[in-house]
Amino acid sequence: RTTPSLSTEPSFRQHCAVDPMLATPGPLPRGPEWAFEVKFDGIRLLADTRSGRTRLWSRNGRDLTRAFPELAALRRATPGGAVLDGELIAGNARPPTLQALATRINRTTADASLQRTCPVVYMVFDVLEVQGRDMTDRPFDERHALLTDLLDDSATWHVSDVFDDGAALWEATASAGMEGVVSKRRTSVYRPGVRSPDWIKTVHRSATDVVIIGWRPEAGGRQRVGSLTVAVPSPGGLQYAGSVGSGLTGHLSEALLAVLPSIARTDPPVGLPDGVDPSIRWVDPVLVAAVDHLGTTRDGRLRQAAISALRPDVTVADLADDQPTDFPRTGPA
């Protein structure tokens, strides 16, 4: 087992030289100028086959090539080389969830047994370069048409479907328990590293990424994490958001215990309200986790929160503008 990565590898900039374009949270738009895709609950993944082998990169530049060897064959599927963008999801979960990927995203390698018990599928939704041609300045419709011609579906990757009727897709994804819908302006270019209003993400459930700032061991003497103390971004910096105990499986606890002692600190990294448990063991705010919840209380604490997965693919810096701090549930406008 490996611990969550705490830094971005500089080789990402040297080899891939692009940051993924990001979507803006908001209500579902309407009109023929928009295309609609399923928002999958997984991890963002860039695939680069230009060197004659497949290199895989997370959103924050973590090299995931060895973690997902199933995608090595992408190099043969993209003669001349390409840079692809998409979402890696659990292949045996219905609906696919980030939690179902937990046994894969915290490891740096995957043997044949792990590949069988936790298969993955790469849902490819964009192409940034193909056979030496930069495609980022081409409109979305053109890029997706090229992607469809370039890449044949396989058991391990699929080209994401595009729909014209956003309202119908919203209802269908809700019925299927999917995360939501991503709307893309058909004329939009690919803007690396930019959170653009030309891409809008609309979700069915309250879910967010939080920063781990402390923890408590499980009662009873077992070597397990009993709860995490978390914070969320706010205009003034990180803001205390309460504690989360639900969802802390043995696997997550093991991964956390491998790294939490190394980032321990004596004082809380954020301001605290009165009455916070004094036995919390504080840590530097460098780890990110995904949380499902039922919104927030008036004082900003998460309601009925449950940890779904660690997010070694996301840094604390990524969260500053990643989602609104009031966690709205948004649907069709």
Side-chain angles (χ1 to χ4, degrees):
R1 280 181 211 282
T2 61
T3 58
S5 173
L6 302 183
S7 62
T8 297
E9 298 191 21
S11 59
F12 171 61
R13 298 295 172 267
Q14 299 167 9
H15 291 284
C16 200
V18 66
D19 290 312
M21 182 171 170
L22 304 174
T24 301
L28 195 75
R30 298 180 182 274
E33 68 272 25
W34 293 94
F36 305 93
E37 295 176 289
V38 173
K39 186 180 188 309
F40 291 98
D41 189 12
I43 61 172
R44 190 74 173 270
L45 195 69
L46 290 170
D48 184 352
T49 65
R50 294 173 297 178
S51 66
R53 60 178 291 231
T54 302
R55 298 291 299 273
L56 305 175
W57 307 95
S58 71
R59 167 180 155 174
N60 65 346
R62 185 181 177 211
D63 189 343
L64 299 179
T65 304
R66 296 181 62 199
F68 301 103
E70 302 99 315
L71 299 183
L74 274 171
R75 64 182 174 83
R76 294 195 298 271
T78 53
V83 178
L84 308 174
D85 192 0
E87 191 86 357
L88 192 73
I89 63 173
N92 60 351
R94 297 292 182 272
T97 64
L98 183 63
Q99 188 172 19
L101 275 179
T103 56
R104 297 293 301 268
I105 62 177
N106 296 315
R107 299 185 183 220
T108 56
T109 59
D111 57 24
S113 175
L114 186 59
Q115 292 177 50
R116 287 193 302 271
T117 58
C118 187
V120 296
V121 176
Y122 186 33
M123 302 300 297
V124 188
F125 53 67
D126 221 318
V127 55
L128 284 58
E129 184 179 315
V130 61
Q131 297 179 352
R133 291 181 294 148
D134 183 358
M135 300 301 299
T136 58
D137 62 348
R138 308 310 301 162
F140 169 76
D141 271 353
E142 182 178 329
R143 297 196 312 274
H144 193 270
L146 174 63
L147 178 62
T148 302
D149 291 340
L150 172 71
L151 200 62
D152 292 328
D153 285 348
S154 76
T156 313
W157 60 78
H158 298 285
V159 175
S160 177
D161 292 320
V162 170
F163 300 87
D164 297 328
D165 191 335
L169 184 61
W170 174 259
E171 296 300 328
T173 52
S175 297
M178 305 295 288
E179 187 174 14
V181 173
V182 177
S183 309
K184 298 179 178 178
R185 199 180 298 275
R186 294 183 180 276
T187 57
S188 62
V189 299
Y190 191 101
R191 303 176 64 194
V194 174
R195 183 172 301 285
S196 172
D198 287 332
W199 288 12
I200 297 176
K201 58 180 180 181
T202 311
V203 298
H204 293 292
R205 56 187 172 82
S206 293
T208 191
D209 293 331
V210 299
V211 182
I212 298 171
I213 60 171
W215 67 287
R216 290 183 58 198
E218 188 175 81
R222 289 196 298 172
Q223 293 297 310
R224 287 189 55 169
V225 176
S227 67
L228 297 173
T229 305
V230 299
V232 295
S234 73
L238 291 177
Q239 174 183 321
Y240 174 78
S243 293
V244 185
S246 297
L248 280 168
T249 63
H251 171 77
L252 286 177
S253 177
E254 185 177 344
L256 284 164
L257 286 174
V259 70
L260 288 172
S262 68
I263 57 173
R265 57 187 290 159
T266 58
D267 60 326
V270 303
L272 300 176
D274 294 337
V276 173
D277 189 341
S279 69
I280 293 172
R281 303 180 183 185
W282 303 109
V283 296
D284 291 330
V286 294
L287 296 178
V288 177
V291 174
D292 294 321
H293 57 90
L294 297 180
T296 59
T297 63
R298 290 183 179 179
D299 57 2
R301 302 190 190 189
L302 300 176
R303 296 178 56 243
Q304 298 185 33
I307 297 286
S308 58
L310 297 179
R311 295 301 306 266
D313 58 310
V314 176
T315 67
V316 175
D318 292 331
L319 302 188
D321 64 346
D322 201 26
Q323 60 218 4
T325 54
D326 57 351
F327 312 113
R329 272 184 86 162
T330 51

